[in-house]
Amino acid sequence: MSDPVLSVRDLVVEIPTRNAVLRPVDHVSYDIEPGEILGVVGESGAGKSMTGNAVIGLLDRPAAIAGGEIRLKGQRIDNLPYEDMRRLRGKEIGMVFQDPLTSLNPLLQIGDQLTETMLAHLEITETEARTRAIAALDEVGIPAAASRIDSYPHEFSGGMRQRVVIALALCAEPSLIIADEPTTALDVSVQAQIIALLKRLCRERRTAVMLVTHDMGVIAEAADRVAVMYAGRLAELGPVRDVVQSPRHPYTEGLMGSTPLASRGQHRLRQIPGSMPRLGSLPDGCAFHPRCPKAQDRCRANPTPSLDADQGRAACWFPVEQLEDAQ
Amino acid sequence: MLAYIIRRVAQSILVLLVVGLVAFSMFRFVGDPIDNMLGQERTQADIDRLRTELGLDQPFPVQYFKFLGGAAQGNFGVSYRQGRPVSTIIAERAPATLELAAVSGFLAISIGIALGVFTAIRRDGWVSNVIMTVSLLGVSLPTFLIGILLIYLFSVELDLLPSFGRGEVVDLGWWTTGLLTSSGLKALILPSITLGLYQMTLIMRLVRSEMLEVLRQDYIRFARARGLKERTVNFRHALKNTLVPVITVTGLQLGAIIAFAIITETVFQWPGVGLLFINAIQFVDIPVMAAYLMLISVMFVGINLIVDLLYFWVDPRLRADRGGAH
């Protein structure tokens, strides 16, 4: 097995507030191999995006990494000075944001945005950059790329703009892409195209992908492995087929039960009762216990051990043993 | 684009006509010029003769259209006080005001934008906080007070700069300039600071708040995520987007600089059109007042037109005729 592209160990992100220190990311560990797509799912506020921002070094103050390690191809990057980290961004780690309508600078032609990114990272001339920009647009499926390169973002549709964003994220050939809800703002029909595009490009280039989303459908479609996050911690981590078909953590089970699947043929979707606790008022013990149907005294008293990247699938005292019949 | 310009020019002409009408009708309440022009020893016959001579006995609409007809040909009549054509007087005085306004405007825009960008990027630094606090003074102090304070400090106490006048000027035939002599440049310093300070602080605060807003946008985050240099992010991506709304206000402020030069010119006895206008009001010199107001409104309208065209240049989304596919 080759070295993982990204290796996160016991990552802790903290936000100091007046009353308390919040931990939106709490001892999270995972690896991503070359060419692998790791899906990160969870509810809003579970710490998914915060993990991605921590990896690329773009946490908004006052949030900051408070512990753990992030390694990119073996090199530690969580403690790099700003300027060194800046050189890695775009070059080694690309990022795709949620809303393609707002991710592109409205006043600059997309060709300029592509060439400036390449010129910032690669030793090439402006002419070469332009040629490669056209090739990049062509690769993400922009029709007549050579004539569209001088267009402004507003001259493209949402789906086309997200293709441009992906071209921008990939144009310096990074080894890791962090895609933060890349399809959430798009039409359903376009979502599938974008996911297929992302999948194809990453397979071809052996780019590792961290795919952050709250959409289990996207995960099932695209990811090789899944990390389920709840209240800043990893609840479950494993191959996508195992996690989707036989979830071990009661939270994952609830999440699967509340996802509409045509094959299941149920009339009503199940819900997980209650809502995720706020970071300022996490319960003692396992953070999920107030909503967990299987909670026992041990869950209320003792926090679950955090998941290691390579062993154990669910951070739960009483993991689900086998696939339960979905009613 | 051309159709747009033609439409805007037509609108501008309409605005000028209305301004002319309003200004002209107001002059009827300023006073009777005849009182000032004839001495104490006047007879009713003198008054009637002069009134007929000046055309003041004619009904208001007739006077107005006569004025418009003349103005369209660049003829604003003869000054009641100086007995010379108004267009000549204004041409003599305009360079002083325009030079003052240009220097003030340049200072206001360049320093205002620079400080605005600085205080936005270094949002939490103590230098920014000092600049922001001081800028409150610039916004809140009235122009004449700033002028008087500057005169007191630099002319009376330190005796470094002249307190009034334009200094030595060089006559280029069609233009007199104070920019070529050291005394002219020295004389320009205090009035241009006085005139431009309010606009400078205003532009600075506007640029700062707009830039802070832009720096929060997704495309700035994305530019950072692409590993662009901080300088590129701030100036290529953020500043350009900041300038779109700033252009409007700045354009209007430039018009205001020319218009409000009256106060600064009075404080510094600057021989420009503003001072000319103040003197004209005291003497009820209607042709001069009318010409001045028309001149100011032409400038306002012209600057607004330029501002609208600048939008097209800065913001590609407005260039509808580029014909993008949607």
Side-chain angles (χ1 to χ4, degrees):
Chain A
M1 200 167 86
S2 55
D3 276 347
V5 174
L6 180 71
S7 172
V8 176
R9 287 290 173 277
D10 289 322
L11 179 68
V12 179
V13 174
E14 287 184 343
I15 303 177
T17 65
R18 209 179 301 167
N19 302 321
V21 175
L22 305 180
R23 277 201 176 167
V25 179
D26 190 2
H27 289 95
V28 167
S29 304
Y30 58 83
D31 291 336
I32 311 182
E33 308 292 331
E36 185 187 40
I37 299 182
L38 175 75
V40 181
V41 274
E43 294 169 60
S44 308
K48 317 179 295 273
S49 299
M50 203 66 101
T51 312
N53 289 341
V55 169
I56 201 169
L58 283 178
L59 286 172
D60 286 319
R61 277 185 299 167
I65 296 175
E69 282 185 14
I70 303 171
R71 284 178 188 275
L72 185 76
K73 298 199 280 196
Q75 186 208 353
R76 194 159 169 197
I77 60 167
D78 55 291
N79 52 4
L80 286 181
Y82 186 87
E83 189 55 23
D84 293 352
M85 195 62 211
R86 201 252 321 144
R87 283 199 200 97
L88 286 183
R89 286 199 284 264
K91 176 95 180 82
E92 289 295 335
I93 310 174
M95 193 149 185
V96 176
F97 285 100
Q98 174 172 351
D99 190 351
L101 301 185
T102 56
S103 319
L104 296 168
N105 189 332
L107 302 186
L108 290 181
Q109 295 165 2
I110 58 162
D112 287 345
Q113 304 193 39
L114 276 163
T115 48
E116 74 176 355
T117 312
M118 285 188 266
L119 291 172
H121 298 297
L122 310 171
E123 298 287 318
I124 52 175
T125 66
E126 219 154 305
T127 329
E128 284 168 341
R130 196 176 157 86
T131 316
R132 290 178 66 159
I134 294 173
L137 288 176
D138 196 48
E139 217 183 340
V140 296
I142 303 281
S147 63
R148 297 307 303 277
I149 186 168
D150 293 324
S151 302
Y152 289 93
H154 71 271
E155 294 168 325
F156 292 90
S157 67
M160 283 294 156
R161 275 191 239 188
Q162 195 65 313
R163 287 170 191 266
V164 173
V165 169
I166 289 172
L168 273 165
L170 284 168
C171 68
E173 313 215 316
S175 42
L176 171 70
I177 289 278
I178 299 171
D180 191 352
E181 307 262 7
T183 58
T184 308
L186 300 172
D187 288 346
V188 181
S189 56
V190 181
Q191 283 184 6
Q193 294 173 11
I194 295 294
I195 287 297
L197 172 72
L198 208 55
K199 240 172 116 172
R200 173 173 66 79
L201 290 176
C202 295
R203 287 280 134 81
E204 281 170 13
R205 300 163 183 229
R206 309 263 307 140
T207 311
V209 180
M210 177 178 166
L211 178 63
V212 176
T213 181
H214 61 258
D215 187 340
M216 283 309 295
V218 168
I219 294 286
E221 173 115 357
D224 301 305
R225 286 193 305 143
V226 194
V228 181
M229 287 190 75
Y230 186 78
R233 314 195 87 196
L234 274 187
E236 184 159 358
L237 179 67
V240 69
R241 172 187 291 264
D242 297 354
V243 173
V244 169
Q245 290 186 351
S246 53
R248 300 289 286 280
H249 196 288
Y251 176 63
T252 319
E253 195 187 25
L255 210 57
M256 296 304 155
S258 58
T259 306
L261 287 178
S263 59
R264 215 183 277 148
Q266 54 196 12
H267 295 292
R268 288 185 71 113
L269 285 175
R270 282 189 303 166
Q271 295 179 5
I272 307 176
S275 58
M276 200 172 67
R278 291 149 139 286
L279 287 174
S281 52
L282 287 180
D284 290 335
C286 171
F288 186 59
H289 85 256
R291 304 170 71 186
C292 183
K294 302 184 175 67
Q296 301 182 19
D297 286 347
R298 191 180 185 186
C299 307
R300 295 180 191 102
N302 303 313
T304 49
S306 43
L307 271 185
D308 281 342
D310 33 11
Q311 56 179 4
R313 245 185 67 190
C316 181
W317 293 118
F318 305 104
V320 186
E321 286 306 333
Q322 74 263 354
L323 174 64
E324 292 206 350
D325 198 22
Q327 204 175 347
Chain B
M1 184 77 171
L2 188 66
Y4 176 80
I5 296 177
I6 292 171
R7 201 163 62 234
R8 279 304 312 264
V9 170
Q11 283 171 359
S12 308
I13 291 172
L14 197 69
V15 169
L16 290 180
L17 286 177
V18 173
V19 169
L21 184 67
V22 171
F24 216 75
S25 55
M26 279 193 339
F27 296 150
R28 301 162 68 83
F29 305 106
V30 179
D32 191 348
I34 309 285
D35 287 345
N36 285 304
M37 296 172 78
L38 297 176
Q40 297 276 321
E41 307 293 315
R42 63 192 172 208
T43 62
Q44 190 57 43
D46 291 336
I47 292 172
D48 289 343
R49 185 178 44 78
L50 190 58
R51 207 179 282 282
T52 319
E53 213 170 85
L54 295 176
L56 293 175
D57 56 337
Q58 288 165 328
F60 173 74
V62 176
Q63 288 186 40
Y64 178 60
F65 282 110
K66 268 176 122 175
F67 166 76
L68 283 185
Q73 299 162 38
N75 173 19
F76 290 95
V78 174
S79 162
Y80 294 166
R81 191 167 70 130
Q82 303 190 30
R84 295 194 297 149
V86 174
S87 43
T88 317
I89 299 176
I90 286 192
E92 278 170 17
R93 296 287 203 120
T97 296
L98 291 178
E99 262 178 19
L100 177 62
V103 172
S104 304
F106 176 74
L107 287 180
I109 292 173
S110 53
I111 299 178
I113 290 179
L115 289 182
V117 169
F118 178 83
T119 51
I121 295 173
R122 300 274 159 81
R123 183 165 34 147
D124 302 319
W126 64 271
V127 183
S128 301
N129 288 330
V130 170
I131 294 173
M132 288 305 290
T133 312
V134 173
S135 78
L136 273 179
L137 284 179
V139 174
S140 50
L141 283 183
T143 309
F144 70 88
L145 189 60
I146 293 170
I148 292 169
L149 288 176
L150 287 176
I151 290 176
Y152 177 74
L153 188 62
F154 290 99
S155 306
V156 179
E157 290 295 322
L158 298 175
D159 198 19
L160 287 174
L161 298 165
S163 63
F164 70 92
R166 237 188 131 189
E168 264 177 76
V169 293
V170 178
D171 194 345
L172 303 175
W174 54 278
W175 189 270
T176 57
T177 178
L179 297 175
L180 297 176
T181 64
S182 64
S183 76
L185 285 175
K186 265 180 157 176
L188 201 53
I189 296 175
L190 291 186
S192 55
I193 291 176
T194 307
L195 184 54
L197 192 66
Y198 174 78
Q199 271 75 20
M200 189 192 92
T201 46
L202 195 77
I203 290 172
M204 175 196 127
R205 299 182 77 91
L206 182 75
V207 167
R208 178 187 130 95
S209 61
E210 286 295 336
M211 183 115 171
L212 287 177
E213 187 63 39
V214 168
L215 286 173
R216 274 197 289 273
Q217 299 293 316
D218 277 355
Y219 53 80
I220 297 300
R221 275 187 77 78
F222 190 45
R224 290 223 168 86
R226 285 187 279 138
L228 301 183
K229 291 204 178 74
E230 207 53 17
R231 187 158 29 94
T232 316
V233 173
N234 284 333
F235 291 98
R236 187 173 153 95
H237 288 265
L239 184 59
K240 207 174 173 198
N241 279 284
T242 303
L243 290 184
V244 176
V246 169
I247 285 175
T248 323
V249 175
T250 306
L252 289 177
Q253 291 305 316
L254 284 185
I257 281 183
I258 296 172
F260 293 137
I262 292 179
I263 296 166
T264 307
E265 288 185 8
T266 311
V267 171
F268 287 93
Q269 287 300 298
W270 189 262
V273 283
L275 197 58
L276 178 74
F277 180 66
I278 291 290
N279 294 335
I281 289 177
Q282 283 161 7
F283 201 78
V284 200
D285 198 344
I286 290 175
V288 172
M289 294 195 297
Y292 173 81
L293 286 176
M294 290 311 283
L295 189 74
I296 294 296
S297 37
V298 165
M299 281 181 179
F300 255 99
V301 167
I303 287 170
N304 264 322
L305 185 61
I306 293 171
V307 164
D308 282 351
L309 296 180
L310 273 181
Y311 273 144
F312 281 91
W313 179 62
V314 173
D315 195 339
R317 284 166 293 189
L318 296 174
R319 288 176 226 149
D321 55 343
R322 264 187 72 97
H326 287 273

